Amino acid sequence: MTSADDPGSPADRQPGPGLRADAERNRERILAAARRLYASHGLGVSMACIAREAGVGKATLSRRFATREELVNAVFADRMDAYAAATAEALADPDPWHGFVGYVQAVCAMQATDRGFADVLAMTFPAAKTLEARRDEAYNGFLELIARAKASGHLREDFTDRDMVVLLMANAGVIAATGNAAPDTWRRLVGQMLRAWAAPGADLPPLNPAPAPTALYRAMVRLARTASGREADME
């Protein structure tokens, strides 16, 4: 029995409206599957796993998206738009420091809701031109945001854009490590980093409580089990 997902099915061999409709359905199924898997497991998910989740063959996946970068570009285009929009919103804030704080919180919240996007923000994809163009747009806006926040006297002069990259990397690690065991831990991390970056006298949002000892213990056990599973897969 064949289907539109099989490499040798009529939908893949014959041109016409039917092929275009099947191809578009396959593309949407692949994107939906990739979004689910990337959100829950990060970008380490294999293309083969995405094909299985989507219910299509590897050949069908390759025809729609020849490389992982192409797939990542398609999956996260809207998230990168939201990332750029967060920068624009922060720049529009009449209070530069408030805008800076809001930007940091918004971007880290995006990471927390989607592990795949957490990876995207901490990595570069030179072959994903559209994705990188939006990242560059947001980055240039962030540089302006930094300059304004420093000029207001509320952001430390020794802060650099690279400090934000470090936070994104650390936040991605915290999100991956804590999972559902201590899901708000990232908020504590962001709050502490804002305090480290703030100049004396800067207004700061309330600091989230530290995770409860039991929640943190569950997160540590979860992290250890995840690491053991990875080691087993490599053997």
Side-chain angles (χ1 to χ4, degrees), residues 147-213:
R148 292 184 182 184
K150 285 184 178 181
S152 75
H154 294 131
L155 179 63
R156 284 174 45 161
E157 283 297 325
D158 58 357
F159 176 87
T160 78
D161 58 295
R162 296 180 296 280
D163 290 317
M164 185 65 189
V165 176
V166 172
L167 172 57
L168 292 175
M169 294 170 66
N171 198 41
V174 167
I175 292 164
T178 55
N180 293 328
D184 288 330
T185 304
W186 69 271
R187 298 183 187 277
R188 176 79 176 189
L189 170 67
V190 173
Q192 293 288 25
M193 291 307 301
L194 286 171
R195 279 158 174 72
W197 297 341
D203 290 331
L204 286 161
L207 185 64
N208 268 60

Side-chain angles (χ1 to χ4, degrees), residues 103-122:
Y103 167 86
V104 172
Q105 292 175 323
V107 173
C108 289
M110 290 179 196
Q111 281 190 301
T113 57
D114 189 330
R115 278 192 59 186
F117 192 61
D119 291 345
V120 166
L121 289 181

